[in-house]
Amino acid sequence: MSEAGYWQRRTTRRQTLRGAALGGLGMAAFLAGCSGSNNNKSKPSGNSGSASSSANGTPGPATQAALPTLTVRPTAVVDESKINKNNVYHDRQSQPWPTINPYKDLVTGLTLGFTIFDHMWYTTKDTNERVLFLATSIEQPDPLNFTVKIGQAVFHDKPPTSGRAVKASDIKASYEAAAQSKTISNSDWWTKTLDSITTPDDSTVTFKLKQPDAWTFTSTNAGSPLSSSIIPQEIATQPDFMDKDLIGSGRFQWVSHENGANPKMKRFDKWRVAGEPWTGGYEQKLIQEQAAADAAFVAQQIDHFAAQNKAEKDQLVQQLGKQVDVDTTVTGAIWTVQTRADGAFADPRVRQAIYLGLNRDEYIQLMEFGDAAKSGPIPPAFKTYALDSDELTKTFWQFDPAQGKQLLQAAGFDLSHEYEIKYYILTDKPAQFAQIVQGQLQKNLGMKVKLTAEDFGTWLAKSLYQGQYDGFIVYPSLDYDDPSSYIGAYSKVIGGRPNWSGFKDDELDQAVAAQKAIIDDTQRTAAIKDIQRKAYQKFAPFIPLYVAYQSDLFWNYVKGRLVGRGSYGLFNGRLYIDK
Amino acid sequence: MRRYIIRRLLALPMIAAAVSVITFAVLRSPWAGDPAVLLAGQGASTDQIAGIRHTLGLDRPIVVQFGDWIGHLLRGDFGRTFRGQQPVWPEITRRLPITFEIMALAVLFGTFFGVLYGIISAIRQNTWLDYGLRVFAVFGQSIPSFFLLVLLIVLPSLWWHYSPPVGGHKALFAHPWENLRLYVPPTLILAVTHAATLMRLTRSTLLDVLRQDYVRTANAKGLRERSVVMRHALRNALIPIVTITGGLIAELFFGALILEQVFSINGLGQFFFQSVLSRDYPVVQFLVVYTAGVVIVLNLLVDLSYVVLDPRVRYT
């Protein structure tokens, strides 16, 4: 089979392993009695339909009509007294943490931010709604000042806090410590927007900003699940304390870990929401290999499994039937083809040709087995800010290779020159994606392109940040919790560096900067949609292709799940284990 | 003999110095990537990255960084990890028991089954038993252990909805049953390749020895077959077996990365792998030097064992 055709196979890893295993074992005649093991072989592939799926349902073919809606599954009305709240929820930890100190590692901090630590508010992904958490009110008299009143809560009962009440001064200390930390936030809100914090009394925190920022309350900035964690003042001023132990005021207390692996937490009985959480603890088990995670889920060693693709999900649904539920959401990671905006790509007609030469349906089928949705610059998860699919169909999503070839010819593009597609090799998907991009550019536009693989560090530092690529660089964007992060790529300067692709457009640059200061939601929404339209008119060199569906499988004894809130669904304290 | 040992031990610091210079230079080569960028994460600003670089001391001249590292190393200070800012030495010592257990079990199983099947195959040459064991050896050598390890996870899951226990290391003496349940199946699989290699080697070496005159003499004296094989023949076949086993120990001293990855065991192999990925210079530098030292010492021990196994061997 040719390399290009490799990705068109519909064989999953497990099928391959099983086939090879049975062949190999049969030849060697080592394991007799394997017959009858494949009792699901004769069943049709795909979703059996027998597994109960979530309120969102299991998505169908990759059309925008089949997009899983981001409806929030309401917490079921249950008789709380009948719930066994002592069961522990087990999840997977895919990598060991380098430290348990949330101020020294982002991934560590994200997990702990949702569990050990409390927060003042959170912002939902689907509705962009600010939900009060510890805060009882937030008042913003003008764009440069806001005041938060907090409710009553206590820290975990360990020294040095020993169960004392949470005060406004703890929040001030936590935010100031986060602002000084270099590793826990990529946002410059902490250094460029936040001016000062004062605490008129123990339950009032007043924030003063240097400049208006409409995205202040989002999870990227002051509502970050990590940076806005409320840490006791005694510890916030000496964050190294958290190398050894963790004390917060969140719904779980820290118990133990093994060299950064298998973290264990137990319910905090004095959590400010009476009766919650509905589990006795939260434990993660280190399982790095996807096949091992699959097996651990089947053996009920973990209660949740995030399938990597539709085939994996379907196979488990087929194997486990009605015993599992599938929650499906759309991720916010946009698979992107980034061209250059200078040199041979400076002519907008060249970039337009590339827009026209990329067939999104093919990516969705080959990469995700149909479980994905086409995306504009802002992914469809942000219903308010994303352009609607009718408009996108006529603009970003147009597929017309013949017109693309004409445009390349008209622009005098040198088709004899061999360009490169740079991708990273941290996981196998970028390689797969790059191969499809290569195939489409060659087949649809007649371009000569070669693949260049790089390790993630080199790719990020040199190829992406310093724009060291000749032609194309491909990647999935990060899955942001707010829409403004996606349009930052249209600025002349990204994170203090010149635009990665060499794209310099005064109008877009000013529009991206200006939207941050528009406090009115309606006006800001209009401005963001306008930026996306302008990006298309100028054929900005960031070509968004699709976002994948995320399928989360749960044993159906895991009740009270909350779907569609973005990462803040993890604040749900009413998840329980019904067994 | 003593001179030989001293000479070999004197070479140790020189080799360690050469390895440390090479490792230090390679890690900081222009194509190796920037740890500060990886620590800051995707989307970090130049200011943030510069701040991290300063905190880690990476903005100083390379010569200064090297001198600083060597100075601390000689004083027994192995530095702090870039990721997590934890002292390197405790991070390593916490993982050593896991690595030692994997190494001990894999070497034990590999050597035991390899030598045992090699002896059986040699003394039952050209029988069905011999053919069967040789098929096993070819199978064991030709199938990579990572594939067998993944099968060990996938097949029981498909057939019996069983998965090896996950969720942490259980100390051998505190939880012997749990510990062995966790470590014995994967180390058995890990030992397959070693066992297969040793089996073939033991068989061929033993067949050579069994044709020697002194073995014929032993047989003629009326000694039992077991005595002839175990006391007279096997001892003379042990030198290549010890050499191969010494190599395996050296390899596993560094951690069994594939096994640790597939079975989610947080040992030294994982630690090194993650450190390489994140360009955690202090960890990588120390572990490479440590491994070089371990390999040198193990090779020396293997060489010395030849003297015990074969009195004809002399070192001057």
Side-chain angles (χ1 to χ4, degrees):
Chain A
M1 181 178 285
S2 69
E3 196 177 9
Y6 174 80
W7 298 110
Q8 298 183 24
R9 285 185 295 178
R10 287 292 190 275
T11 313
T12 67
R13 186 182 189 179
R14 293 182 121 224
Q15 286 167 335
T16 310
L17 288 168
R18 187 174 14 170
L22 291 175
L25 294 175
M27 278 172 62
F30 271 101
L31 289 178
C34 298
S35 58
S37 59
N38 293 323
N39 53 9
N40 54 3
K41 239 182 177 176
S42 60
K43 292 178 186 171
S45 61
N47 194 352
S48 67
S50 58
S52 61
S53 57
S54 75
N56 294 326
T58 305
T63 65
Q64 294 307 304
L67 189 71
T69 54
L70 284 170
T71 356
V72 173
R73 175 214 291 277
T75 305
V77 179
V78 291
D79 184 350
E80 198 178 329
S81 64
K82 291 182 179 171
I83 295 171
N84 179 357
K85 293 184 180 178
N86 293 321
N87 286 324
V88 173
Y89 176 61
H90 293 104
D91 207 348
R92 172 187 180 187
Q93 182 191 26
S94 53
Q95 291 292 333
W97 301 338
T99 169
I100 60 165
N101 189 331
Y103 271 31
K104 293 181 179 175
D105 182 68
L106 188 63
V107 177
T108 312
L110 288 174
T111 303
L112 300 170
F114 291 115
T115 49
I116 300 292
F117 301 108
D118 200 1
H119 298 258
M120 290 191 288
W121 69 82
Y122 61 87
T123 307
T124 57
K125 186 172 188 172
D126 51 339
T127 58
N128 201 39
E129 183 187 0
R130 195 169 64 215
V131 180
L132 300 180
F133 210 40
L134 176 63
T136 54
S137 71
I138 300 175
E139 290 176 8
Q140 190 166 22
D142 61 74
L144 293 178
N145 294 283
F146 66 94
T147 299
V148 184
K149 289 272 186 188
I150 60 168
Q152 292 187 335
V154 293
F155 286 112
H156 303 154
D157 195 6
K158 288 193 270 189
T161 56
S162 302
R164 72 164 173 79
V166 175
K167 297 176 190 169
S169 56
D170 295 309
I171 294 169
K172 173 179 158 67
S174 302
Y175 272 69
E176 286 173 350
Q180 285 171 13
S181 169
K182 296 181 179 70
T183 51
I184 64 172
S185 175
N186 291 336
S187 162
D188 59 11
W189 182 91
W190 297 87
T191 49
K192 293 191 175 160
T193 301
L194 177 62
D195 185 4
S196 61
I197 303 169
T198 51
T199 54
D201 57 57
D202 280 351
S203 61
T204 309
V205 194
T206 300
F207 291 80
K208 186 178 178 191
L209 307 181
K210 293 175 192 165
Q211 58 191 20
D213 190 337
W215 303 105
T216 284
F217 296 99
T218 66
S219 64
T220 315
N221 300 320
S224 158
L226 170 53
S227 310
S228 71
S229 294
I230 298 171
I231 292 166
Q233 187 175 2
E234 304 90 312
I235 296 172
T237 49
Q238 294 179 338
D240 284 352
F241 177 92
M242 293 187 284
D243 291 350
K244 301 269 183 331
D245 198 7
L246 299 165
I247 300 171
S249 52
R251 66 188 194 279
F252 291 108
Q253 292 185 86
W254 181 249
V255 176
S256 67
H257 72 112
E258 297 167 12
N259 300 325
N262 309 305
K264 292 183 176 154
M265 300 162 222
K266 66 176 182 182
R267 179 177 50 231
F268 178 39
D269 289 325
K270 294 179 185 171
W271 168 237
R272 59 184 166 75
V273 181
E276 293 187 14
W278 289 3
T279 52
Y282 173 60
E283 295 180 3
Q284 290 190 344
K285 297 183 175 190
L286 177 67
I287 310 172
Q288 285 156 296
E289 272 294 302
Q290 185 74 357
D294 183 320
F297 177 70
V298 170
Q300 295 192 358
Q301 292 195 44
I302 50 175
D303 303 315
H304 160 236
F305 175 73
Q308 278 188 335
N309 55 44
K310 182 175 186 293
E312 202 172 70
K313 173 195 72 179
D314 289 348
Q315 192 146 8
L316 275 171
V317 167
Q318 194 175 352
Q319 187 181 358
L320 302 174
K322 291 180 180 175
Q323 301 174 89
V324 293
D325 293 340
V326 182
D327 289 348
T328 305
T329 50
V330 186
T331 70
I334 305 174
W335 284 91
T336 303
V337 174
Q338 180 180 320
T339 72
R340 294 215 62 85
D342 47 18
F345 296 83
D347 189 331
R349 289 174 297 179
V350 173
R351 302 197 297 269
Q352 184 184 4
I354 295 160
Y355 271 70
L356 292 167
L358 298 172
N359 180 357
R360 287 168 174 76
D361 290 326
E362 195 174 31
Y363 291 96
I364 290 170
Q365 287 305 319
L366 296 180
M367 293 277 293
E368 311 293 343
F369 304 94
D371 258 9
K374 295 176 192 174
S375 179
I378 290 177
F382 297 98
K383 286 188 289 194
T384 320
Y385 298 96
L387 297 175
D388 67 52
S389 47
D390 285 344
E391 185 173 352
L392 288 165
T393 304
K394 292 173 191 158
T395 54
F396 284 92
W397 297 349
Q398 268 191 305
F399 174 58
D400 189 345
Q403 193 193 343
K405 280 182 180 170
Q406 287 173 6
L407 284 166
L408 287 181
Q409 197 173 16
F413 187 79
D414 180 8
L415 288 169
S416 65
H417 179 80
E418 187 177 51
Y419 292 95
E420 67 181 357
I421 299 173
K422 280 195 168 174
Y423 65 95
Y424 62 79
I425 47 174
L426 194 64
T427 61
D428 57 356
K429 265 193 155 180
Q432 184 182 359
F433 184 69
Q435 284 183 25
I436 302 171
V437 175
Q438 180 192 34
Q440 290 199 359
L441 291 174
Q442 285 173 342
K443 184 178 65 180
N444 299 337
L445 298 174
M447 295 177 79
K448 280 175 73 176
V449 274
K450 64 178 179 184
L451 298 175
T452 305
E454 292 180 323
D455 79 284
F456 185 67
T458 308
W459 179 89
L460 185 65
K462 297 189 183 302
S463 300
L464 186 69
Y465 285 170
Q466 295 177 23
Q468 292 179 8
Y469 61 97
D470 179 23
F472 304 90
I473 188 165
V474 297
Y475 52 87
S477 76
L478 293 179
D479 186 351
Y480 298 105
D481 261 0
D482 79 76
S484 72
S485 304
Y486 292 95
I487 53 175
Y490 302 136
S491 301
K492 285 183 184 174
V493 174
I494 308 172
R497 304 173 196 87
N499 188 289
W500 306 331
S501 67
F503 184 65
K504 292 171 191 162
D505 185 273
D506 289 335
E507 190 183 14
L508 268 175
D509 186 60
Q510 286 160 15
V512 169
Q515 55 85 25
K516 286 186 180 175
I518 305 174
I519 303 298
D520 180 82
D521 283 345
T522 312
Q523 287 178 23
R524 192 173 63 256
T525 304
I528 286 173
K529 286 190 169 177
D530 195 40
I531 288 170
Q532 294 175 79
R533 292 182 185 114
K534 283 199 172 78
Y536 179 73
Q537 287 160 11
K538 295 166 190 288
F539 299 104
F542 306 94
I543 308 175
L545 297 186
Y546 77 91
V547 285
Y549 297 162
Q550 171 64 47
S551 293
D552 290 289
L553 286 88
F554 292 88
W555 283 99
N556 57 15
Y557 55 70
V558 182
K559 311 273 194 197
R561 304 189 307 277
L562 190 63
V563 183
R565 300 267 82 160
S567 50
Y568 284 95
L570 298 170
F571 279 134
N572 174 24
R574 297 191 168 198
L575 180 138
Y576 64 101
I577 307 295
D578 188 21
K579 70 172 185 181
Chain B
M1 180 76 161
R2 189 181 298 166
R3 270 192 183 167
Y4 175 78
I5 295 172
I6 291 169
R7 208 165 55 233
R8 290 283 295 265
L9 288 175
L10 281 178
L12 182 63
M14 285 187 284
I15 294 173
V19 167
S20 59
V21 170
I22 293 168
T23 310
F24 197 91
V26 167
L27 282 172
R28 283 159 180 79
S29 61
W31 61 85
D34 186 344
V37 171
L38 289 168
L39 271 176
Q42 210 165 336
S45 69
T46 46
D47 290 346
Q48 286 170 320
I49 293 169
I52 292 172
R53 200 173 281 130
H54 178 71
T55 306
L56 300 177
L58 295 172
D59 53 354
R60 297 173 302 163
I62 287 183
V63 177
V64 175
Q65 291 180 48
F66 183 72
D68 188 46
W69 175 62
I70 285 289
H72 282 93
L73 197 68
L74 292 174
R75 291 196 296 274
D77 174 6
F78 305 122
R80 296 175 88 84
T81 60
F82 281 178
R83 298 182 317 143
Q85 287 294 303
Q86 303 302 308
V88 170
W89 183 240
E91 290 289 310
I92 289 170
T93 50
R94 277 204 293 269
R95 289 166 171 86
L96 276 178
I98 299 171
T99 297
F100 280 153
E101 184 170 356
I102 292 171
M103 180 184 72
L105 289 173
V107 170
L108 177 74
F109 291 141
T111 309
F112 176 75
F113 289 113
V115 173
L116 178 68
Y117 292 162
I119 294 169
I120 293 171
S121 195
I123 60 179
R124 297 285 179 268
Q125 189 187 8
N126 297 330
T127 64
W128 283 108
L129 192 58
D130 178 31
Y131 296 146
L133 289 171
R134 284 159 66 189
V135 167
F136 160 77
V138 172
F139 171 82
Q141 283 189 305
S142 56
I143 298 187
S145 57
F146 76 84
F147 182 74
L148 293 175
L149 287 166
V150 173
L151 290 186
L152 188 64
I153 299 249
V154 170
L155 296 180
S157 168
L158 287 171
W159 296 335
W160 310 303
H161 289 195
Y162 171 81
S163 165
V166 290
H169 168 73
K170 304 285 181 194
L172 176 62
F173 297 109
H175 309 276
W177 169 241
E178 295 280 316
N179 175 282
L180 294 176
R181 204 170 139 234
L182 178 65
Y183 288 107
V184 167
T187 46
L188 266 172
I189 296 291
L190 190 68
V192 165
T193 308
H194 180 58
T197 308
L198 268 190
M199 194 222 111
R200 286 166 63 92
L201 191 69
T202 306
R203 179 181 181 277
S204 60
T205 316
L206 204 56
L207 282 175
D208 278 348
V209 175
L210 287 173
R211 293 186 189 113
Q212 299 292 319
D213 290 343
Y214 70 90
V215 174
R216 193 179 304 120
T217 306
N219 279 320
K221 281 199 304 183
L223 292 177
R224 286 189 305 165
E225 186 185 19
R226 180 188 292 179
S227 179
V228 172
V229 173
M230 303 304 286
R231 291 190 58 189
H232 297 276
L234 184 60
R235 184 165 174 177
N236 282 302
L238 275 179
I239 284 186
I241 294 169
V242 168
T243 308
I244 296 278
T245 304
L248 179 70
I249 294 172
E251 189 184 317
L252 292 177
F253 219 91
F254 200 36
L257 174 62
I258 301 294
L259 183 149
E260 290 176 19
Q261 177 81 16
V262 174
F263 280 80
S264 307
I265 295 169
N266 197 9
L268 213 52
Q270 274 293 340
F271 187 51
F272 180 71
F273 182 61
Q274 294 298 333
S275 301
V276 169
L277 287 183
S278 59
R279 310 291 191 279
D280 204 325
Y281 294 166
V283 178
V284 177
Q285 286 163 188
F286 176 72
L287 279 176
V288 172
V289 175
Y290 154 87
T291 307
V294 166
V295 169
I296 292 165
V297 171
L298 273 172
N299 281 343
L300 176 63
L301 291 176
V302 167
D303 288 350
L304 296 178
S305 72
Y306 296 161
V307 178
V308 178
L309 295 172
D310 188 346
R312 290 169 299 180
V313 176
R314 288 282 182 273
Y315 293 118
T316 53

PDB file of all heavy atoms in Angstrom, chain B residues 239-252:
ATOM      1  N   ILE B 239      30.533 -18.108  30.087  1.00  0.00           N
ATOM      2  CA  ILE B 239      31.134 -16.792  29.810  1.00  0.00           C
ATOM      3  C   ILE B 239      30.296 -15.944  28.846  1.00  0.00           C
ATOM      4  O   ILE B 239      29.964 -14.797  29.153  1.00  0.00           O
ATOM      5  CB  ILE B 239      32.599 -16.961  29.338  1.00  0.00           C
ATOM      6  CG1 ILE B 239      33.446 -17.284  30.578  1.00  0.00           C
ATOM      7  CG2 ILE B 239      33.105 -15.700  28.650  1.00  0.00           C
ATOM      8  CD1 ILE B 239      34.933 -17.349  30.337  1.00  0.00           C
ATOM      9  N   PRO B 240      29.903 -16.476  27.688  1.00  0.00           N
ATOM     10  CA  PRO B 240      29.047 -15.641  26.820  1.00  0.00           C
ATOM     11  C   PRO B 240      27.702 -15.308  27.466  1.00  0.00           C
ATOM     12  O   PRO B 240      27.145 -14.226  27.233  1.00  0.00           O
ATOM     13  CB  PRO B 240      28.868 -16.493  25.564  1.00  0.00           C
ATOM     14  CG  PRO B 240      29.290 -17.874  25.932  1.00  0.00           C
ATOM     15  CD  PRO B 240      30.257 -17.753  27.053  1.00  0.00           C
ATOM     16  N   ILE B 241      27.190 -16.229  28.297  1.00  0.00           N
ATOM     17  CA  ILE B 241      25.901 -15.978  28.957  1.00  0.00           C
ATOM     18  C   ILE B 241      26.035 -14.794  29.922  1.00  0.00           C
ATOM     19  O   ILE B 241      25.199 -13.887  29.946  1.00  0.00           O
ATOM     20  CB  ILE B 241      25.437 -17.243  29.709  1.00  0.00           C
ATOM     21  CG1 ILE B 241      25.132 -18.343  28.695  1.00  0.00           C
ATOM     22  CG2 ILE B 241      24.221 -16.958  30.580  1.00  0.00           C
ATOM     23  CD1 ILE B 241      24.924 -19.719  29.311  1.00  0.00           C
ATOM     24  N   VAL B 242      27.115 -14.784  30.676  1.00  0.00           N
ATOM     25  CA  VAL B 242      27.340 -13.678  31.623  1.00  0.00           C
ATOM     26  C   VAL B 242      27.532 -12.363  30.860  1.00  0.00           C
ATOM     27  O   VAL B 242      27.036 -11.304  31.261  1.00  0.00           O
ATOM     28  CB  VAL B 242      28.569 -13.989  32.516  1.00  0.00           C
ATOM     29  CG1 VAL B 242      29.003 -12.766  33.306  1.00  0.00           C
ATOM     30  CG2 VAL B 242      28.230 -15.125  33.458  1.00  0.00           C
ATOM     31  N   THR B 243      28.221 -12.416  29.746  1.00  0.00           N
ATOM     32  CA  THR B 243      28.447 -11.203  28.957  1.00  0.00           C
ATOM     33  C   THR B 243      27.124 -10.603  28.488  1.00  0.00           C
ATOM     34  O   THR B 243      26.875  -9.405  28.624  1.00  0.00           O
ATOM     35  CB  THR B 243      29.330 -11.531  27.727  1.00  0.00           C
ATOM     36  OG1 THR B 243      30.490 -12.217  28.184  1.00  0.00           O
ATOM     37  CG2 THR B 243      29.720 -10.271  26.990  1.00  0.00           C
ATOM     38  N   ILE B 244      26.272 -11.465  27.939  1.00  0.00           N
ATOM     39  CA  ILE B 244      24.981 -10.990  27.434  1.00  0.00           C
ATOM     40  C   ILE B 244      24.115 -10.470  28.591  1.00  0.00           C
ATOM     41  O   ILE B 244      23.481  -9.417  28.488  1.00  0.00           O
ATOM     42  CB  ILE B 244      24.229 -12.155  26.734  1.00  0.00           C
ATOM     43  CG1 ILE B 244      25.008 -12.611  25.503  1.00  0.00           C
ATOM     44  CG2 ILE B 244      22.805 -11.763  26.379  1.00  0.00           C
ATOM     45  CD1 ILE B 244      24.786 -11.793  24.274  1.00  0.00           C
ATOM     46  N   THR B 245      24.116 -11.194  29.691  1.00  0.00           N
ATOM     47  CA  THR B 245      23.291 -10.788  30.833  1.00  0.00           C
ATOM     48  C   THR B 245      23.786  -9.469  31.424  1.00  0.00           C
ATOM     49  O   THR B 245      22.993  -8.608  31.804  1.00  0.00           O
ATOM     50  CB  THR B 245      23.284 -11.901  31.905  1.00  0.00           C
ATOM     51  OG1 THR B 245      22.834 -13.104  31.290  1.00  0.00           O
ATOM     52  CG2 THR B 245      22.360 -11.556  33.057  1.00  0.00           C
ATOM     53  N   GLY B 246      25.094  -9.300  31.456  1.00  0.00           N
ATOM     54  CA  GLY B 246      25.648  -8.024  31.936  1.00  0.00           C
ATOM     55  C   GLY B 246      25.175  -6.868  31.081  1.00  0.00           C
ATOM     56  O   GLY B 246      24.845  -5.795  31.589  1.00  0.00           O
ATOM     57  N   GLY B 247      25.114  -7.089  29.786  1.00  0.00           N
ATOM     58  CA  GLY B 247      24.623  -6.048  28.872  1.00  0.00           C
ATOM     59  C   GLY B 247      23.177  -5.711  29.160  1.00  0.00           C
ATOM     60  O   GLY B 247      22.776  -4.534  29.150  1.00  0.00           O
ATOM     61  N   LEU B 248      22.378  -6.746  29.454  1.00  0.00           N
ATOM     62  CA  LEU B 248      20.957  -6.511  29.737  1.00  0.00           C
ATOM     63  C   LEU B 248      20.794  -5.711  31.042  1.00  0.00           C
ATOM     64  O   LEU B 248      19.973  -4.790  31.115  1.00  0.00           O
ATOM     65  CB  LEU B 248      20.204  -7.843  29.849  1.00  0.00           C
ATOM     66  CG  LEU B 248      18.715  -7.701  30.164  1.00  0.00           C
ATOM     67  CD1 LEU B 248      17.958  -7.129  28.967  1.00  0.00           C
ATOM     68  CD2 LEU B 248      18.100  -9.030  30.570  1.00  0.00           C
ATOM     69  N   ILE B 249      21.591  -6.069  32.029  1.00  0.00           N
ATOM     70  CA  ILE B 249      21.502  -5.334  33.298  1.00  0.00           C
ATOM     71  C   ILE B 249      21.836  -3.861  33.065  1.00  0.00           C
ATOM     72  O   ILE B 249      21.134  -2.958  33.544  1.00  0.00           O
ATOM     73  CB  ILE B 249      22.446  -5.946  34.357  1.00  0.00           C
ATOM     74  CG1 ILE B 249      21.979  -7.354  34.728  1.00  0.00           C
ATOM     75  CG2 ILE B 249      22.516  -5.073  35.602  1.00  0.00           C
ATOM     76  CD1 ILE B 249      22.938  -8.130  35.609  1.00  0.00           C
ATOM     77  N   ALA B 250      22.899  -3.620  32.306  1.00  0.00           N
ATOM     78  CA  ALA B 250      23.290  -2.234  32.035  1.00  0.00           C
ATOM     79  C   ALA B 250      22.167  -1.490  31.318  1.00  0.00           C
ATOM     80  O   ALA B 250      21.858  -0.337  31.621  1.00  0.00           O
ATOM     81  CB  ALA B 250      24.554  -2.214  31.189  1.00  0.00           C
ATOM     82  N   GLU B 251      21.543  -2.174  30.396  1.00  0.00           N
ATOM     83  CA  GLU B 251      20.458  -1.555  29.621  1.00  0.00           C
ATOM     84  C   GLU B 251      19.275  -1.219  30.530  1.00  0.00           C
ATOM     85  O   GLU B 251      18.702  -0.132  30.468  1.00  0.00           O
ATOM     86  CB  GLU B 251      20.032  -2.555  28.540  1.00  0.00           C
ATOM     87  CG  GLU B 251      19.079  -2.021  27.509  1.00  0.00           C
ATOM     88  CD  GLU B 251      18.669  -3.138  26.551  1.00  0.00           C
ATOM     89  OE1 GLU B 251      19.555  -3.924  26.123  1.00  0.00           O
ATOM     90  OE2 GLU B 251      17.484  -3.241  26.279  1.00  0.00           O
ATOM     91  N   LEU B 252      18.920  -2.159  31.410  1.00  0.00           N
ATOM     92  CA  LEU B 252      17.743  -1.965  32.250  1.00  0.00           C
ATOM     93  C   LEU B 252      18.020  -1.084  33.466  1.00  0.00           C
ATOM     94  O   LEU B 252      17.089  -0.611  34.105  1.00  0.00           O
ATOM     95  CB  LEU B 252      17.188  -3.317  32.708  1.00  0.00           C
ATOM     96  CG  LEU B 252      16.575  -4.166  31.607  1.00  0.00           C
ATOM     97  CD1 LEU B 252      16.129  -5.503  32.162  1.00  0.00           C
ATOM     98  CD2 LEU B 252      15.395  -3.455  30.967  1.00  0.00           C
TER      99      LEU B 252
END
